[in-house]
Amino acid sequence: MELTTVREIFRDREKYLNKEIQVGGWVRSNRDSKAFGFLVLHDGTFFETLQIVYHDTMANFQELTKINVGAAVIVKGTLVPTPEAKQPFEIQAEEISIEGASTPDYPLQKKRHSLEYMRTITHLRPRTNTFQAVFRVRSLIAYAIHKFFQERDFVYVHTPLITGSDCEGAGEMFQVTTLDLNNPPKNPDGSIDYSKDFFGKETNLTVSGQLNGETFAQAFRNIYTFGPTFRAENSNTTRHAAEFWMIEPEIAFADLKDDMILAESMLKYVINYVLEHAPEEMNFFNSFVDKGLIERLKHVANSDFGHVTYTEAIEILEKHNDKFEYKVSWGVDLQTEHERYLTEEVFKKPVFVTDYPKEIKAFYMKLNDDEKTVAAMDCLVPGIGEIIGGSQREDSYEKLLARMNELGLKEEDYGFYLDLRKYGSTRHAGFGLGFERCVMYLTGMGNIRDVLPFPRTVGTCEL
Amino acid sequence: MELTTVREIFRDREKYLNKEIQVGGWVRSNRDSKAFGFLVLHDGTFFETLQIVYHDTMANFQELTKINVGAAVIVKGTLVPTPEAKQPFEIQAEEISIEGASTPDYPLQKKRHSLEYMRTITHLRPRTNTFQAVFRVRSLIAYAIHKFFQERDFVYVHTPLITGSDCEGAGEMFQVTTLDLNNPPKNPDGSIDYSKDFFGKETNLTVSGQLNGETFAQAFRNIYTFGPTFRAENSNTTRHAAEFWMIEPEIAFADLKDDMILAESMLKYVINYVLEHAPEEMNFFNSFVDKGLIERLKHVANSDFGHVTYTEAIEILEKHNDKFEYKVSWGVDLQTEHERYLTEEVFKKPVFVTDYPKEIKAFYMKLNDDEKTVAAMDCLVPGIGEIIGGSQREDSYEKLLARMNELGLKEEDYGFYLDLRKYGSTRHAGFGLGFERCVMYLTGMGNIRDVLPFPRTVGTCEL
């Protein structure tokens, strides 16, 4: 007999009510009185649990009363409605067999555990309500992102993780090597001889797929990446991880305005997808993690995002400098406190800040006609600050080369990138969305360690 | 005026015929006579090209006749049917502007280039027919895989890339470090002091997400991973890359039979998806890369896969040992030549080989009652050999521990993995699909370097 899933039962209850079915799952609690007992069963397919009633008429009743939390069981019985109870139905069991026992010291007892404790048992925490909700929603967000781009015929590109150029310049990198570090091959001058390394040169883990992505956008017009990215930064914060996932679309024959339209559409699409496909999980977050979450997300999905230039934003913020730890003035980079003030207090909705000073942005961003600012955009959302950063790319060979020279970047390291401006250059733009920040934003979870299945941060690399 | 895409024009031609539209794209060829000229335009959104006719009545006619291959142009004109020509329609241009010029030495001239040459210009090769087809289909396969699992409510899990355990044992690994290799911190005994490394210990790039995936299957029942995987093997073949993508579903309350049903359904789903969504690309492969490809794939999508035990397979193969470079006998691992013989000559369709000797399979596979074989399966397909490898997992704490001891694996390295057998263990199974092998299989491409956007192989890590 096939196992019916709890999801099937909740989503299509009429089909199963008053029928004999078989379910399998893990015991969340077990309580019994003399003649009968109750198991609360979670089968992993659905956020809600299913109550199982068992009776002393069953041959193994005594064994059943001793089932420990965490055990896996198979239950055969009839699904009956329970109009008086808080749950809509329960299973009156005829047979219960223990698929895999548990022990009284199972680390997830019914009491509430702290998120800190959960981080010490990343192999078990997905069995709890909070992490059931987090990782189901994480999965749905990932899929919604793919669906959004694929419906628009974007090509998904797997840009490489191991990179031979350390010219990406977006942060500190992890080195990748197969050399024996205790006895590395050396050059005559005593330095490491990387010609003996796996790739014949020094290699690192990528900090961005953008430059590779651009090469594909100049061939397919619209592409996106969605893959892991690495930062070897020594930042022990609630928002930084050494390994995280990033989405980087890149669009050709497109300018900054098109880029913002794309970013706004994508965020709204993802919000709507998750609200529609994970209502139970989203209600859980709304009740227990972040009150007001659903209302806030619906508001975002139904707002036109605001637009303000960096220069205008500085004028606004300067008037409130007394509120900020870091005072703003034209030329400084915005901190999270400023970003949140803009989106939460001034605009009260997501806002795009555009046209930043070229000095605080990357070399590849398109120089505006004022020659002081670049066609960059950051999307700020309430509760988080920056969630997306993007720009139109410099498409002029001469201007790009001039900027690279100003910054001391070597032409020979960027031959492929300059080629894109030599052979059929187009207006083009793109952005990066940090996937975990997006998951935090949509779930209200406050620590990046709690939205990554197995977080990697300074000093932590478990399992 | 918005740009209409070539995809829109081909897919919805009635809407655009005899209308004025604007398109943007890259010039594949340009030829002119005295009074008019033709551009063949490719806009990246669609496999087919669009012919543009321009006339000497246009002010910049002379400039247009000099457009080099590879240039990006914007064309305004009327889409007219061309019933006499081989293409169904063309654009009679009214205005053509050059968005980005090209040069006479553009590396992709109209002539045929070898795949080897293309590998030296990975930033430009996506602009060619072959790589347009490969990377569009690669993207569609990736999406089809997500769609297949999401439609079945599987949870997508991002298992970590950087791993602190080198206990996965599936191959040689890349080390990940932030230590200064020219001057690493040392322990008193002269060895490297990894407590000073980023994670406070030695770390590597993962060779499989399976063990992590299992922890999630024991919480969500059905999960899948889809991410990059690494092998530091010194194998310079057409089938090995140092960095590749892998799909690893894991299902709880499921045995080897369920696992094979899942694998077969997935392969068929992906084949059907690609045939439906990329007919132009698949016809291209069928005509120019691998004659008979489409018929073979359709045959696979409509066959019930064969089933044979390893022991039976050896009996069959032993009769044909004269045909093989490596002779088979019970206990040896199957080579590609044997796998292909089974699927191509014996079964003439995909076949699952099951129940391999435990000595040639991984420690975590479930021991069969004969105590000699394990509940493993490899799925072999014509033209490739093994494309999927999977197994039911050992769910008995005692048997798993005994096998680990036999193989000298340390219990303390696998505490989390043993926990899964201690707290609510279930029958469970899973498999791994090498994504690039799947792309090779569906496109007929013969070298893994030509289905990876930026291949990483021994000695090669470009861009």
Side-chain angles (χ1 to χ4, degrees), chain B residues 227-238:
Chain B
T229 317
F230 305 87
R231 293 277 192 292
E233 276 166 39
N234 198 347
S235 342
N236 208 348
T237 79
T238 56

Side-chain angles (χ1 to χ4, degrees), chain B residues 75-93:
Chain B
V75 178
K76 193 194 260 185
T78 304
L79 185 75
V80 296
T82 50
E84 321 268 286
K86 70 175 181 190
Q87 76 279 6
F89 35 64
E90 65 189 17
I91 287 189
Q92 288 286 340

Side-chain angles (χ1 to χ4, degrees), chain B residues 230-441:
Chain B
F230 305 87
R231 293 277 192 292
E233 276 166 39
N234 198 347
S235 342
N236 208 348
T237 79
T238 56
R239 289 153 47 99
H240 290 86
E243 175 181 321
F244 55 99
W245 286 62
M246 193 143 76
I247 294 97
E248 296 184 286
E250 194 73 31
I251 49 179
F253 294 106
D255 60 17
L256 191 67
K257 194 179 281 182
D258 299 310
D259 204 33
M260 290 188 283
I261 291 170
L262 184 70
E264 182 171 339
S265 312
M266 183 196 69
L267 277 182
K268 288 175 173 176
Y269 184 98
V270 172
I271 289 170
N272 286 327
Y273 187 88
V274 168
L275 289 173
E276 187 185 334
H277 287 82
E280 290 80 9
E281 285 83 353
M282 294 307 287
N283 282 333
F284 171 82
F285 292 125
N286 196 53
S287 302
F288 297 107
V289 174
D290 184 1
K291 297 220 189 299
L293 173 72
I294 290 181
E295 197 188 308
R296 198 164 69 239
L297 292 175
K298 285 188 173 162
H299 173 64
V300 168
N302 297 314
S303 307
D304 289 325
F305 289 14
H307 290 265
V308 64
T309 66
Y310 169 88
T311 304
E312 292 161 353
I314 291 295
E315 282 168 18
I316 295 167
L317 293 169
E318 274 180 328
K319 294 185 191 132
H320 305 280
N321 255 338
D322 55 311
K323 297 200 179 67
F324 303 131
E325 192 185 342
Y326 294 93
K327 311 301 170 194
V328 299
S329 60
W330 203 96
V332 305
D333 207 355
L334 298 184
Q335 304 292 322
T336 303
E337 58 174 337
H338 312 129
E339 293 173 345
R340 292 188 58 173
Y341 190 84
L342 279 171
T343 178
E344 290 168 18
E345 304 298 325
V346 181
F347 285 85
K348 300 183 197 304
K349 62 180 180 180
V351 57
F352 288 104
V353 181
T354 61
D355 304 300
Y356 285 77
K358 66 176 179 179
E359 287 77 14
I360 59 173
K361 288 290 181 183
F363 76 96
Y364 50 70
M365 297 190 179
K366 187 174 175 66
L367 192 63
N368 285 325
D369 290 340
D370 62 15
E371 300 199 351
K372 289 193 303 188
T373 62
V374 288
M377 63 90 164
D378 280 0
C379 180
L380 316 180
V381 294
I384 295 267
E386 186 211 324
I387 191 166
I388 283 174
S391 75
Q392 191 169 339
R393 317 308 187 186
E394 184 54 76
D395 51 64
S396 152
Y397 185 93
E398 291 73 24
K399 287 186 190 169
L400 181 63
L401 190 57
R403 185 65 182 144
M404 284 170 52
N405 287 335
E406 271 174 34
L407 295 171
L409 300 175
K410 285 188 228 144
E411 197 175 333
E412 60 266 34
D413 289 341
Y414 293 87
F416 78 97
Y417 196 63
L418 286 161
D419 271 2
L420 302 182
R421 280 73 182 166
K422 201 160 140 189
Y423 305 127
S425 188
T426 67
R427 281 162 287 159
H428 66 291
F431 64 80
L433 168 70
F435 181 62
E436 282 72 19
R437 284 214 187 152
C438 182
V439 177
M440 290 168 76
Y441 179 54

Side-chain angles (χ1 to χ4, degrees), chain A residues 33-239:
Chain A
S33 64
K34 270 181 197 134
F36 55 91
F38 299 96
L39 295 177
V40 172
L41 194 77
H42 192 273
D43 85 340
T45 68
F46 195 62
F47 188 71
E48 305 291 341
T49 55
L50 190 60
Q51 176 159 282
I52 314 289
V53 187
Y54 59 92
H55 294 271
D56 62 359
T57 49
M58 293 162 77
N60 60 346
F61 180 74
Q62 284 309 319
E63 183 194 22
L64 298 182
T65 62
K66 296 190 191 83
I67 289 176
N68 288 308
V69 173
V73 297
I74 303 286
V75 177
K76 195 194 257 184
T78 304
L79 185 74
V80 297
T82 51
E84 321 267 288
K86 70 173 184 195
Q87 75 279 6
F89 35 65
E90 65 189 18
I91 287 188
Q92 288 286 341
E94 285 135 39
E95 282 177 42
I96 299 180
S97 61
I98 296 169
E99 170 106 3
S102 184
T103 66
D105 64 346
Y106 180 57
L108 293 169
Q109 295 301 321
K110 211 176 172 301
K111 67 167 187 142
R112 229 192 158 96
H113 300 284
S114 72
L115 295 173
E116 289 74 18
Y117 169 69
M118 298 288 200
R119 283 176 215 141
T120 66
I121 47 168
T122 49
H123 62 306
L124 299 176
R125 68 176 182 170
R127 302 178 182 200
T128 64
N129 272 336
T130 303
F131 292 96
Q132 279 282 315
V134 166
F135 293 124
R136 171 80 60 184
V137 168
R138 183 182 166 107
S139 168
L140 292 172
I141 296 172
Y143 185 58
I145 289 167
H146 279 298
K147 198 161 186 290
F148 172 83
F149 287 114
Q150 294 273 341
E151 284 174 358
R152 284 153 187 78
D153 293 310
F154 280 56
V155 170
Y156 178 30
V157 184
H158 290 130
T159 48
L161 284 291
I162 301 175
T163 172
S165 58
D166 70 338
C167 53
E168 300 177 18
E172 291 183 70
M173 297 172 92
F174 289 101
Q175 185 169 354
V176 174
T177 181
T178 55
L179 296 178
D180 175 1
L181 302 199
N182 281 302
N183 188 21
K186 300 268 176 109
N187 292 314
D189 68 358
S191 63
I192 304 280
D193 178 6
Y194 284 110
S195 73
K196 302 285 197 311
D197 207 345
F198 189 88
F199 295 107
K201 61 177 168 183
E202 205 173 335
T203 53
N204 296 295
L205 289 176
T206 189
V207 295
S208 162
Q210 180 199 315
L211 305 197
N212 296 83
E214 281 186 53
T215 70
F216 271 65
Q218 293 298 98
F220 285 101
R221 184 162 166 180
N222 294 328
I223 67 100
Y224 69 108
T225 73
F226 189 164
T229 317
F230 305 87
R231 292 278 190 290
E233 277 168 38
N234 200 347
S235 342
N236 209 348
T237 79
T238 57
R239 290 154 46 98

